[in-house]
Amino acid sequence: MRNAHEIDFQIVGEEMQYVSIELDPNEGVIAEAGSFMMMDNGIKMETIFGDGSEKDKGFMGKVFGAGKRLLTGESLFMTAFYNVTNLKREVSFAAPYPGKVMPLDLSMMGNKFICQKDAFLCAAKGVSIGIEFSKKLGRGLFGGEGFIMQKLEGDGMAFVHSGGNTAVKRLAPGEKLKVDTGCIVGFDHTVDYDIEFVGGIKNTLFGGEGLFFATLTGPGTVYIQSLPFSRLAKRVWAAAPRGGGKDKGEGSILGGIGDLLDGDNRF
């Protein structure tokens, strides 16, 4: 018998996806703040301390569960949605930026999945969201943007989001894969991971990439995103106007004529 609620779902869309979850009477789902899209009448929304799983029973359990989320940079609170009617009701959650919503049946994945701290979207009530503590100090000190990993534990459905397109790599025992830390969406709990320094003074100063990459060793499946949000944000920030000036590269060498051709008619 499952501890987590059994939920039915449908993923809608191509590039800007959302997941629509059908809740039977008394079923519930938990989600990160800000991912809610819409819900039928008869669904009760409640802010909870921690993730509301079995591990969060009791006051100290709730404090510890919420504290773990605080370490990942997430909110102390999550939002739970319950169907309080006698009929089926739907609630939907939207991806935060272009990419794919990935459904994960944790009962088919050894009841545990490791993912980026900002990849989690929502999950069936009863799934635990915590930190995957590293056994190696180097990961915590020098891991870059991807060194803090979350773990999803339980036997229910969970949904994570990946930016851009998703590559799925199935690693044989002992097979290694090197990945930019920000491009990792998640991987099976059987995969061993470590952080390595790129090395070389030219690579460090002029390579244009991060100083670290992740080494993932099989067996297990690894999910990789082509567009990490951090990379998207940096490009947007680099192209944003500064102090009332023009956008970076706007109009190119044509100057004002190029702006007119672009459709930018501001003076």
Side-chain angles (χ1 to χ4, degrees):
M1 179 179 179
R2 286 179 181 247
N3 292 317
H5 294 189
E6 296 186 48
I7 57 175
D8 298 313
F9 69 93
Q10 179 184 9
I11 295 175
V12 183
E14 294 296 330
E15 302 304 328
M16 288 297 295
Q17 295 185 330
Y18 69 91
V19 56
S20 177
I21 296 176
E22 184 181 78
L23 298 177
D24 291 332
N26 300 316
E27 282 186 345
V29 62
I30 58 173
E32 288 286 7
S35 62
F36 168 70
M37 178 180 171
M38 61 181 174
M39 63 183 178
D40 291 340
N41 188 38
I43 290 182
K44 177 184 177 182
M45 185 173 67
E46 178 184 2
T47 299
I48 59 175
F49 197 52
D51 58 23
S53 66
E54 291 292 322
K55 292 186 177 183
D56 277 356
K57 281 189 173 181
F59 176 75
M60 290 307 297
K62 293 179 184 294
V63 170
F64 183 68
K68 290 187 297 183
R69 288 176 48 75
L70 185 64
L71 289 175
T72 67
E74 305 293 344
S75 169
L76 288 172
F77 300 92
M78 299 189 74
T79 308
F81 299 81
Y82 302 97
N83 181 1
V84 295
T85 73
N86 293 321
L87 303 172
K88 293 179 181 292
R89 288 290 183 260
E90 290 188 359
V91 58
S92 300
F93 303 94
Y97 53 96
K100 301 296 181 183
V101 175
M102 296 167 41
L104 305 171
D105 187 347
L106 297 179
S107 68
M108 304 294 291
M109 308 176 80
N111 294 346
K112 182 177 178 181
F113 184 78
I114 312 300
C115 66
Q116 275 276 27
K117 65 183 183 68
D118 56 356
F120 173 71
L121 190 64
C122 59
K125 181 70 167 57
V127 171
S128 171
I129 296 93
I131 295 178
E132 175 67 6
F133 287 102
S134 173
K135 296 179 181 178
K136 297 184 179 180
L137 183 62
R139 297 179 193 158
L141 293 178
F142 310 110
E145 60 188 330
F147 79 93
I148 298 178
M149 305 297 288
Q150 282 188 333
K151 60 180 176 181
L152 310 178
E153 293 182 292
D155 54 9
M157 291 297 303
F159 301 87
V160 298
H161 177 259
S162 66
N165 290 317
T166 306
V168 180
K169 297 289 186 179
R170 293 177 174 83
L171 303 180
E175 184 179 0
K176 293 182 182 291
L177 181 69
K178 295 182 179 181
V179 185
D180 180 275
T181 54
C183 289
I184 298 174
V185 179
F187 45 83
D188 292 340
H189 69 94
T190 54
V191 173
D192 182 68
Y193 72 103
D194 200 358
I195 299 296
E196 291 188 25
F197 180 61
V198 172
I201 187 65
K202 289 192 294 184
N203 288 334
T204 301
L205 296 179
F206 309 112
E209 306 295 339
L211 298 180
F212 305 90
F213 52 72
T215 300
L216 307 173
T217 306
T221 303
V222 178
Y223 301 85
I224 303 163
Q225 59 188 343
S226 65
L227 182 63
F229 178 72
S230 58
R231 190 172 294 178
L232 175 62
K234 289 176 183 177
R235 295 296 178 91
V236 172
W237 175 255
R242 299 288 191 276
K246 304 292 285 181
D247 289 346
K248 178 183 178 182
E250 189 175 28
S252 187
I253 61 173
L254 298 178
I257 297 176
D259 292 338
L260 289 173
L261 295 175
D262 285 338
D264 185 350
N265 300 318
R266 293 171 294 176
F267 293 99

